[in-house]
Amino acid sequence: MSSVPRLVIAAPSSGSGKTTVATGLMAAFAARGLAVSPHKVGPDYIDPGYHALATGRVGRNLDAYLCGPELIGPLFAHGARGCDLAVVEGVMGMYDGAAGEGELASTAHVAKLLRAPVVLVVDASSQSWSVAALVHGFASWDPEVRVGGVVLNKVASDRHEALLREALDAAGVPVLGVLRRVPQVDTPSRHLGLVPVAERRAAAVEAVAAMGAQVDAGCDLEALLALARSAGALSCAAWDAAEVLDSSPPPPLPSPTLGFARAGGPPSSLGAAPPDPRFGPERASSSNAGRADFARPNSKVKVAVAGGPAFTFSYAEHTELLTAAGAEVVPFDPLHDEQLPDGTRGLVIGGGFPEVYAAELSANEPLRKAVGALAENGAPVAAECAGLLYLCRELDGLPMCGVLDATARMSERLTLGYRDAVALSDSVLAVAGTRMRGHEFHRTVVEPCSGAAPAWGVRAPERRVEGFVQQGVHASYLHTHWAAEPGVARRFVERCRTS
């Protein structure tokens, strides 16, 4: 059970100021000596980096599409354990969720799952009395969502503030903060959103401090803390990597690939997939029926995980699962380290921005050769998005690791969204037929898009095959959350041990 006080920070739309208010609240409360647990609704990797700076704790994601609604409470309780307060930054507009899935994975959905009050951040720059109608609509749309107050952003003057407060007083919604229209805090963006913290450490620290000062000056922190304390208790147990591995099912037997041919063939059917019990009401997360205890070996196996400015996208639970499965997780920086850590038996290369650092990555020839040799020897390699690009022959004409017979280049087209996928080939992560949900977020193209043994058959939003499985390599654009399928980490570490 978790009774940690908590707030969900939402907005009518993107660009309203959620990140400023959420990060500022985290920093302001942390400066007052509170242990603040930072969370982000959705799959975004970048905002949690700023949250971590503000709180001194790992930023964690709460994604009801990737992980299933029933894991939101346990994952929250895991991250917030021992904290005085949790602040959850929402995603997009409050009721915007996975396309075609109703409220699934929306900020409102997560707020309900957490029994948390919502603070609505409103860009008031071009309105006065109309703000009451806007807030009333959001507060009354779903009676299960409790909007406990409003923070008004980009307010022009004392007169403007008075008009807004008068309107909202008539609507019966408390004003918990007012942020004036000031020059934007220095949080530069580029083709995939904010520049990650790891690329601008000193400037990012200054930006977070500025957000904290702005929120501290403009918000009623005592009223916000009182609202957070009104959150309902959560009855679920906290997620624990070792416990879920102990009760995780053994690697499944190969099963039909849901209308896709295996090993690179074209889709053989456009029929609907059978229901996925992980994401429907029939899933019983407390049941251990058909499960097998996981015996963890005493000796650790070394798994190198790419980091540094070029590879910043990772969920904290992945490292926790690998560690619980028996791995010694060792980070390295492909921009600067010329060799993999001594004794590396497996390699994880997550997302990030290799396209920004292509020249530096290419110039580190010793490491490129070391990665290529590790893959050639059959060691397990799991690569997502940026990792996929790094394993190609070249990226924007510059030599990369050459593990995959493919080339990568930047593109003007943004590829973004949730994906429903099925593993098409047995790999170090899963057997063919395993259902997973994932997320894509990139402006690059890999040609060809898949190898002789594709990694995934993507079922939605359009049917296609994607990614590469060869020897011990699993490389794909798809970002997945291993908490939804702990057996992925278990299988990967077992393969590291035996390869």
Side-chain angles (χ1 to χ4, degrees), residues 128-373:
S128 57
W129 267 75
S130 294
V131 74
L134 175 69
V135 172
H136 173 75
F138 273 84
S140 62
W141 179 260
D142 185 342
E144 294 183 38
V145 176
R146 178 162 62 101
V147 176
V150 174
V151 172
L152 299 169
N153 192 25
K154 300 181 183 178
V155 176
S157 64
D158 291 345
R159 173 61 177 161
H160 188 200
E161 178 181 339
L163 290 170
L164 294 166
R165 285 185 177 274
E166 185 179 1
L168 288 168
D169 184 59
V173 180
V175 175
L176 300 175
V178 176
L179 304 184
R180 290 302 174 91
R181 190 181 300 168
V182 296
Q184 188 174 11
V185 175
D186 182 24
T187 51
S189 299
R190 60 177 178 226
H191 59 285
L192 293 182
L194 295 179
V195 176
V197 164
E199 299 185 46
R200 53 187 304 267
R201 176 68 58 172
V205 169
E206 293 176 4
V208 168
M211 293 180 207
Q214 187 180 6
V215 167
D216 185 69
C219 293
D220 186 341
L221 295 185
E222 294 304 321
L224 284 160
L225 186 57
L227 179 62
R229 288 171 174 157
S230 73
L234 297 176
S235 59
C236 59
W239 182 88
D240 181 88
E243 289 180 4
V244 298
L245 281 175
D246 284 342
S247 60
S248 66
L253 296 172
S255 59
T257 52
L258 308 184
F260 290 93
R262 294 179 65 173
S268 60
S269 167
L270 293 179
D276 184 348
R278 294 187 299 119
F279 299 100
E282 62 274 76
R283 181 177 180 182
S285 59
S286 61
S287 173
N288 287 327
R291 298 191 172 195
D293 289 339
F294 170 48
R296 204 171 291 106
N298 293 326
S299 61
K300 294 283 187 179
V301 60
K302 188 171 292 186
V303 174
V305 176
F311 297 97
T312 55
F313 292 5
S314 178
Y315 297 127
E317 292 80 6
H318 289 200
T319 296
E320 292 166 351
L321 283 165
L322 287 169
T323 300
E328 177 190 353
V329 177
V330 182
F332 73 102
D333 184 351
L335 291 180
H336 303 293
D337 296 326
E338 294 189 345
Q339 295 296 327
L340 293 168
D342 289 341
T344 293
R345 298 289 296 275
L347 175 61
V348 176
I349 316 174
F353 293 96
E355 63 271 27
V356 175
Y357 295 95
E360 294 92 329
L361 291 170
S362 183
N364 191 350
E365 185 177 1
L367 182 66
R368 291 194 288 109
K369 289 182 175 179
V371 170

Side-chain angles (χ1 to χ4, degrees), residues 72-150:
I72 295 302
L75 287 171
F76 169 83
H78 169 59
R81 185 186 282 121
C83 286
D84 303 309
L85 172 69
V87 178
V88 181
E89 180 184 346
V91 62
M92 300 186 293
M94 185 163 76
Y95 293 106
D96 300 329
E101 300 279 356
E103 72 170 4
L104 178 64
S106 67
T107 303
H109 186 208
V110 171
K112 290 193 290 185
L113 292 169
L114 294 179
R115 304 184 68 196
V118 172
V119 176
L120 193 68
V121 179
V122 177
D123 179 350
S125 59
S126 300
Q127 57 186 317
S128 57
W129 267 75
S130 294
V131 74
L134 175 69
V135 172
H136 173 75
F138 273 84
S140 62
W141 179 260
D142 185 342
E144 294 183 38
V145 176
R146 178 162 62 101
V147 176
V150 174

